[in-house]
Amino acid sequence: MLDALIQRANAKAVDAVYVDGEKIFEDGRFLKVDREAVLAEISKELTRPRPHDDLARAALARKITSYGRKFYEDYLRGDA
């Protein structure tokens, strides 16, 4: 039962969340989060130039994506 509750429930199944007696989530939203401030911080981070290692990882991901896609397509057809 615990597994089903924790691992399989979705946000619609949660009415409220309390931490140390304080309600932090209700009606599908977090009560202690300044949404506008969070969105502003995300926007600021997304406009920064990406570090070299991020760019290298993104390039590698682009290179290997087609191989992964082909593997799963073959797998689903039963060719793998």
Side-chain angles (χ1 to χ4, degrees), residues 49-62:
R50 293 175 67 182
H52 175 73
D53 57 334
D54 278 0
L55 296 173
R57 278 192 295 274
L60 178 60
R62 284 191 299 276

Side-chain angles (χ1 to χ4, degrees), residues 5-65:
L5 176 65
I6 294 174
Q7 299 294 329
R8 299 179 194 162
N10 62 41
K12 294 176 191 172
V14 178
D15 292 323
V17 175
Y18 291 81
V19 174
D20 198 25
E22 181 179 8
K23 189 185 299 185
I24 64 164
F25 182 86
E26 182 178 43
D27 297 328
R29 64 183 185 86
F30 288 95
L31 303 176
K32 303 292 181 181
V33 175
D34 182 344
R35 184 177 188 274
E36 295 306 316
V38 170
L39 292 175
E41 183 67 22
I42 290 170
S43 178
K44 179 179 151 187
E45 289 296 321
L46 290 175
T47 58
R48 286 187 184 176
R50 293 175 67 182
H52 175 73
D53 57 334
D54 278 0
L55 296 173
R57 278 192 295 274
L60 178 60
R62 284 191 299 276
K63 287 180 183 178
I64 65 172
T65 297

